[in-house]
Amino acid sequence: MSDNKLIITHLDNNNIEHREAAANLHIKLLENSYLSMFGYDFLVDYYYKLLIKNGIINCLLCVSNNKYIGFAGFTKYPFSFMTIGFKKNFFQFSFFFTKKIFIKPKIIILLIKIVKEAISRKFTKKTTNSLSELLSIGVLSEHSNDKDIVTGLPASRLLVSNLIKDCKKEGFKDMRVVIKSKNMKSLSFFKSFGGKIVNDKLTEDSVELMLYF
């Protein structure tokens, strides 16, 4: 464990270093996520570039001693951020997936799986203009116990605290979080922020929590 000043910065879609850092963290920490399966170039050139440019998603990066050690992404468009992103960047996304299909045909199976899962989800009826959604969060394991000397918070809590501040500034009053049912560590972590389980059967293996600000 080390104590130093942890810096939280907003990902700038025009900053290639930011995008590459977020992509590397995403793939390393969330290797089984659909976005990671689309590949590094998708995250760098599309997801963390175009969706942030359009204001569809936001991302925070955590820096320690000039090293990117964690990230957290969220959106003000729960349930529909990818659909909105596809519509706004139809030609860019179409070109990417057309090219990707020739290189990796199995990506079609992945796209079908994503659509089927989206249809099967049993969402809560609570959807308001005040609702935001946490999309992803992660901190490198070797830095999980690093604490910020200013706030005394470890990187993961510092990221969520800053994320909540950003959401409040934008007028949001709550945040949706989806977690694997068996991930007791994450469940406990978000419950410590006041998170409440509102749907314990979102999918066969995930639950839905709400953080109220």
Side-chain angles (χ1 to χ4, degrees):
M1 181 179 75
S2 64
D3 290 351
N4 58 279
K5 185 177 181 180
L6 302 180
I7 299 172
I8 302 296
T9 185
H10 287 86
L11 191 157
D12 179 356
N13 67 282
N14 291 315
N15 187 325
I16 184 64
E17 180 182 305
H18 279 190
R19 303 202 313 269
E20 290 178 342
N24 283 319
L25 288 166
H26 201 129
I27 290 174
K28 184 171 184 177
L29 298 171
L30 304 171
E31 61 179 346
N32 294 319
S33 74
Y34 291 137
L35 292 174
S36 293
M37 293 178 191
F38 284 146
Y40 177 80
D41 53 346
F42 174 79
L43 289 168
V44 172
D45 296 326
Y46 295 88
Y47 188 76
Y48 286 116
K49 182 178 182 179
L50 299 179
L51 269 62
I52 288 182
K53 178 181 179 180
N54 298 150
I56 298 170
I57 68 169
N58 287 291
C59 181
L60 300 179
L61 295 169
C62 183
V63 183
S64 176
N65 290 324
N66 297 315
K67 178 181 179 180
Y68 295 97
I69 66 169
F71 78 115
F74 68 102
T75 181
K76 57 184 177 182
Y77 300 106
F79 317 112
S80 60
F81 75 101
M82 284 298 285
T83 301
I84 296 172
F86 180 76
K87 289 180 178 178
K88 285 183 175 292
N89 304 283
F90 177 79
F91 293 108
Q92 294 96 321
F93 280 113
S94 296
F95 176 76
F96 172 83
F97 284 114
T98 300
K99 182 177 66 173
K100 200 75 171 180
I101 288 170
F102 282 106
I103 300 173
K104 189 177 181 181
K106 288 185 178 180
I107 198 147
I108 296 177
I109 298 174
L110 178 59
L111 290 170
I112 293 173
K113 185 177 180 181
I114 293 173
V115 172
K116 285 184 176 180
E117 182 173 308
I119 293 174
S120 67
R121 286 186 175 185
K122 301 174 182 177
F123 297 113
T124 59
K125 295 181 179 179
K126 184 184 184 304
T127 55
T128 67
N129 291 331
S130 69
L131 178 66
S132 58
E133 180 176 10
L134 177 69
L135 299 174
S136 52
I137 183 171
V139 175
L140 295 174
S141 58
E142 61 268 31
H143 293 280
S144 60
N145 292 320
D146 288 10
K147 289 186 177 181
D148 177 38
I149 59 174
V150 177
T151 63
L153 295 174
S156 56
R157 298 194 72 86
L158 189 64
L159 277 165
V160 173
S161 296
N162 278 270
L163 187 151
I164 290 174
K165 288 179 182 178
D166 282 357
C167 287
K168 284 183 176 180
K169 287 180 181 179
E170 293 191 35
F172 298 112
K173 297 180 180 179
D174 35 41
M175 173 175 287
R176 176 177 181 266
V177 183
V178 176
I179 300 174
K180 294 294 183 182
S181 306
K182 295 181 180 180
N183 192 339
M184 302 308 296
K185 185 176 181 179
S186 290
L187 285 169
S188 177
F189 175 76
F190 285 105
K191 283 182 178 179
S192 71
F193 281 91
K196 305 291 184 182
I197 294 179
V198 295
N199 187 348
D200 59 2
K201 294 181 180 179
L202 180 65
T203 65
E204 291 183 358
D205 64 348
S206 63
V207 300
E208 182 182 14
L209 284 81
M210 291 293 294
L211 296 180
Y212 301 103
F213 309 149

